[in-house]
Amino acid sequence: DIQMTQSPSTLSASVGDRVTITCRASQSISSWLAWYQQKPGKAPKLLIYKASSLESGVPSRFSGSGSGTEFTLTISSLQPDDFATYYCQQYNSYLVTFGQGTKVEIK
Amino acid sequence: QVQLVQSGAEVKKPGASVKVSCKASGYTFTGYYMHWVRQAPGQGLEWMGWINPNSGGTNYAQKFQGWVTMTRDTSISTAYMELSRLRSDDTAVYYCARDSGGVRGMDVWGQGTTVTVSS
């Protein structure tokens, strides 16, 4: 199975900060990577797909990059609504895997 | 609008089975695979498997093989996930999520069903 490793596990930041989360795959997944945002008590929400494509309705301050085994999610200017947990997910194979999550906290 | 509505919370005893439903509306049910994902309290997302509502074909994560069964009823646009031989560590929120078609990941999610396993 393909393993997905996110870093950091927790990130403390302030409103307006630029934030970067990294996701590494145990083998190449081309660009078959998605990013999700989850708030407490809610279902995950798709933000980015195919590594760098922005889902409709998602603010442009979110961006994704990478291919192969290294990927990043960047929030260009952190807003109060962005404090949440973020997950990467690979869908390169018929077996899907999620990263362990990165919690973005208020500094 | 496109939505997935899941069945209500369940409380089960260890060793029992649970069956969670996920009713789709606003799109062609048989046109999109359906995933099941669970989340234990305070933990991350764990993918369980998917079902192809058109053919009924399934693909389960290795951890859940022999233990989970995913089915569907196309006449009522509903997918089901049944987990047997429940243990306390199966206590979790269970989500269904539509696969966008292999390109965009999981684009629509159900609201989640809380399953509590307790003696």
Side-chain angles (χ1 to χ4, degrees):
Chain A
D1 292 5
I2 299 174
Q3 308 302 317
M4 305 301 293
T5 304
Q6 282 183 241
S7 60
S9 298
T10 307
L11 188 159
S12 296
S14 301
V15 171
D17 284 353
R18 180 181 182 88
V19 166
T20 299
I21 299 168
T22 298
C23 182
R24 290 186 175 85
S26 60
Q27 64 188 72
S28 178
I29 57 170
S30 185
S31 296
W32 300 114
L33 185 101
W35 289 96
Y36 300 85
Q37 177 193 66
Q38 188 182 32
K39 296 181 179 178
K42 299 294 186 182
K45 173 187 172 184
L46 178 65
L47 298 177
I48 302 282
Y49 62 93
K50 212 172 177 188
S52 61
S53 296
L54 195 67
E55 175 71 350
S56 176
V58 174
S60 58
R61 63 182 179 270
F62 291 93
S63 64
S65 64
S67 66
T69 61
E70 294 262 343
F71 302 87
T72 58
L73 171 70
T74 300
I75 308 173
S76 60
S77 178
L78 198 65
Q79 298 301 301
D81 192 48
D82 301 338
F83 292 97
T85 300
Y86 295 84
Y87 295 92
C88 63
Q89 173 232 325
Q90 69 81 17
Y91 52 106
N92 179 67
S93 69
Y94 284 105
L95 301 176
V96 169
T97 36
F98 288 93
Q100 79 277 18
T102 295
K103 185 175 183 179
V104 177
E105 299 181 326
I106 300 173
K107 192 171 184 178
Chain B
Q1 72 281 23
V2 175
Q3 64 176 350
L4 302 174
V5 178
Q6 298 183 223
S7 48
E10 303 264 11
V11 179
K12 296 292 183 181
K13 293 195 181 302
S17 297
V18 68
K19 191 171 186 177
V20 178
S21 68
C22 171
K23 183 170 178 60
S25 61
Y27 73 97
T28 301
F29 176 65
T30 52
Y32 299 82
Y33 285 27
M34 191 74 77
H35 297 270
W36 289 90
V37 176
R38 77 176 185 178
Q39 186 170 39
Q43 302 302 307
L45 302 172
E46 183 175 31
W47 178 76
M48 301 177 70
W50 54 250
I51 182 169
N52 177 346
N54 187 43
S55 67
T58 55
N59 191 26
Y60 304 142
Q62 186 170 10
K63 172 179 178 176
F64 295 98
Q65 287 181 8
W67 182 29
V68 69
T69 305
M70 296 177 188
T71 57
R72 90 295 189 212
D73 184 338
T74 57
S75 68
I76 54 172
S77 299
T78 300
Y80 301 93
M81 186 284 300
E82 184 170 20
L83 196 61
S84 61
R85 306 190 303 277
L86 290 168
R87 308 184 319 182
S88 58
D89 59 1
D90 294 317
T91 294
V93 177
Y94 290 77
Y95 293 101
C96 59
R98 188 182 81 162
D99 188 291
S100 62
V103 178
R104 284 173 46 238
M106 302 176 194
D107 63 342
V108 182
W109 291 67
Q111 83 276 19
T113 296
T114 299
V115 175
T116 303
V117 183
S118 174
S119 55

